[in-house]
Amino acid sequence: MRARKGYDVPRLRLGRSRPPAHTRPMGADFIDLRAWQEAVELVRMVTLVSRSVRGPGALGVVEQLLRAAESIPANVAEGYGRGLGKDFARFLRIAVASTAEVESHLRVAVASGRLTAEVADPAIRQARLVRALTTGLARSVACRCRA
């Protein structure tokens, strides 16, 4: 398309447009958040651990464990997608609660003999790391909301 003399033709931006940097936390996308990256690692670990769960009701435990683990990075991503603000903080709190659920399922599986402590412990440590990172991110977002 040729521009007529005296008229400015706006340039088209190719690719996805991004909101201004001040409306987003660190990084350009949720995949840049360490909390999300470590949550994905937790999902990988829980998937491996779930193969070792034995005993009556193991299938139900594994399904609930996987569902809870997979919801953590999903909630971080969904909250991020809603923009910096109260919604993001709310989704981060849900993700924190899901990490506690994952840890609880792992500890109950160990206590009930469905899983050995040596298999569950690395995933429990990862869940605690994810919870700490997500809690810190939630506090940071909450402070920005008040400012």
Side-chain angles (χ1 to χ4, degrees), residues 64-146:
Q64 187 62 28
L65 184 59
L66 288 170
R67 233 185 337 266
E70 289 171 353
S71 75
I72 300 165
N75 277 304
V76 172
E78 185 174 353
Y80 188 93
R82 291 176 181 255
L84 183 62
K86 290 180 182 178
D87 269 350
F88 189 22
R90 182 171 61 87
F91 277 92
L92 289 172
R93 287 191 302 273
I94 294 168
V96 168
S98 293
T99 60
E101 182 181 358
V102 167
E103 183 179 349
S104 175
H105 283 305
L106 291 169
R107 290 187 184 279
V108 168
V110 170
S112 64
R114 292 183 180 139
L115 199 58
T116 64
E118 56 213 34
V119 170
D121 282 346
I124 290 170
R125 281 193 301 275
Q126 185 68 18
R128 290 178 152 258
L129 171 64
V130 170
R131 188 172 356 157
L133 290 169
T134 309
T135 299
L137 184 57
R139 285 183 183 144
S140 174
V141 169
C143 286
R144 286 185 179 196
C145 290
R146 288 186 213 124

Side-chain angles (χ1 to χ4, degrees), residues 6-38:
Y7 291 95
D8 289 329
V9 177
R11 293 183 180 262
L12 295 175
R13 292 184 191 179
L14 300 177
R16 62 183 180 164
S17 62
R18 294 189 178 180
H22 70 278
T23 63
R24 289 276 174 207
M26 5 37 235
D29 206 355
F30 65 87
I31 62 173
D32 297 323
L33 298 173
R34 184 164 176 229
W36 183 86
Q37 295 166 359
E38 295 293 345

